Amino acid sequence: MNGHDAVLADLSLEISATDLPLVPTIAAHVQPGTRIHVTALGTESPDSRRATASELVAHGLTPVPHLAARRFTSPTELEDAVSGLAHASAQRSVFVIGGDPRRPAGPYSSARDLIESGVLARHHVADAGVGGYPEGHPDIPDEVLWAELAAKVSALEVQGISPSISTQVCFDADVLLAWVAELRQRHIWAPVRVGAPGPMGVARLLGFAKRVGIGSSAGLARKYGTSIGSMLGTAGPDEFLSAVQDGLDPRVHGDVSMHLFTFGGVRATLDWLAARP
């Protein structure tokens, strides 16, 4: 592992329940115990996520199933979801998000509501991740984001659950590092997992970039540091990772590792990892 791969030492990956058949392949390419997030897509059922989490356990990996607060219609449905994970020995690590629906399907309007329900502690969740927004949120003021993040971390710690923070996709290493530095200045020292896309087609990567206000391939190259020679090519996170690693100062930034979204496909991300020196 070279110097720029230090942030990959505790790498986590993100998959969906449709990737269940690839779990043996994932296990063959990553270290035992690697944290594998299982997203909470509205098109997939809790049963399929639980089956994927169970398969990850069977292959010596650490599943991190996502719990989307606004998707749960009742406390009973939430309880059943977490207890089902517990029965599969897959509830030790979870990631709590608000979820896509603007209007809650039940009593939980935010990740904080779900955390404060106490359901995680009742089922012996050991650690829980929450989301961070280095480049802000289009609908939520920055100070509200900071206040909510602090409240979620505190609510987990009070219940004896170790918190961590996984960021949304960020394309600018300088912005990311400044955000982590501010996080520490606000006395939030939970470990941070930097969210970055795995390798994917340039056209698709640009589509994701446009969602955070990067409207051109030149702008993406300038922020993300990747070389974009053709819209038909593929771009990976190598230069972004190097820029993050170069700028990290443990005294300022604390515990920082990498979280890769496999938007371009699990196999492409695994091939990229295998090709690293």
Side-chain angles (χ1 to χ4, degrees):
M1 181 176 291
N2 61 40
H4 285 159
D5 280 347
V7 290
L8 293 176
D10 188 25
L11 171 74
S12 56
L13 300 178
E14 189 156 313
I15 66 172
S16 72
T18 59
D19 295 313
L20 186 153
L22 293 175
V23 169
T25 302
I26 295 170
H29 282 78
V30 300
Q31 294 296 318
T34 295
R35 298 167 68 86
I36 309 294
H37 286 230
V38 183
T39 57
L41 300 178
T43 55
E44 298 171 352
S45 70
D47 286 346
S48 64
R49 284 191 289 277
R50 183 167 59 249
T52 304
S54 179
E55 187 74 359
L56 289 165
V57 171
H59 282 81
L61 302 171
T62 302
V64 186
H66 287 203
L67 301 171
R70 286 190 287 273
R71 292 193 186 280
F72 290 104
T73 60
S74 68
T76 299
E77 185 180 20
L78 173 60
E79 195 84 33
D80 288 347
V82 182
S83 66
L85 291 170
H87 288 148
S89 300
Q91 92 296 358
R92 297 289 293 170
S93 301
V94 300
F95 185 74
V96 186
I97 55 172
D100 292 335
R102 288 182 175 271
R103 179 172 296 179
Y108 311 107
S109 62
S110 67
R112 182 178 172 187
D113 287 343
L114 190 155
I115 291 167
E116 292 179 343
S117 74
V119 66
L120 304 182
R122 282 198 298 278
H123 291 284
H124 309 293
V125 170
D127 59 87
V130 296
Y133 296 85
E135 297 186 291
H137 189 289
D139 301 320
I140 305 173
D142 284 349
E143 280 308 313
V144 174
L145 288 174
W146 283 118
E148 280 297 301
L149 181 55
K152 287 182 285 191
V153 168
S154 176
L156 289 168
E157 291 175 336
V158 165
Q159 296 177 67
I161 300 170
S162 297
S164 63
I165 300 165
S166 292
T167 75
Q168 296 295 308
V169 170
C170 183
F171 290 97
D172 190 319
D174 291 337
V175 169
L176 182 281
L177 291 168
W179 182 86
V180 178
E182 183 171 355
L183 181 77
R184 304 320 188 190
Q185 290 167 3
R186 290 173 180 265
H187 307 291
I188 301 173
W189 287 93
V192 171
R193 292 183 176 274
V194 175
M200 67 173 70
V202 169
R204 191 173 188 198
L205 181 62
L206 183 57
F208 284 109
K210 285 180 177 178
R211 297 182 188 178
V212 294
I214 304 173
S216 69
S217 57
L220 178 59
R222 186 169 57 252
K223 283 180 171 286
Y224 198 47
T226 192
S227 176
I228 298 175
S230 167
M231 292 297 286
L232 299 178
T234 299
D238 300 81
E239 293 184 40
F240 174 76
L241 289 178
S242 293
V244 170
Q245 181 65 33
D246 286 345
L248 276 177
D249 181 344
R251 296 167 299 177
V252 173
H253 300 105
D255 184 350
V256 176
S257 55
M258 192 59 54
H259 178 74
L260 290 180
F261 298 94
T262 58
F263 297 138
V266 172
R267 291 187 185 277
T269 297
L270 295 177
D271 289 345
W272 175 81
L273 287 171
R276 294 186 68 78

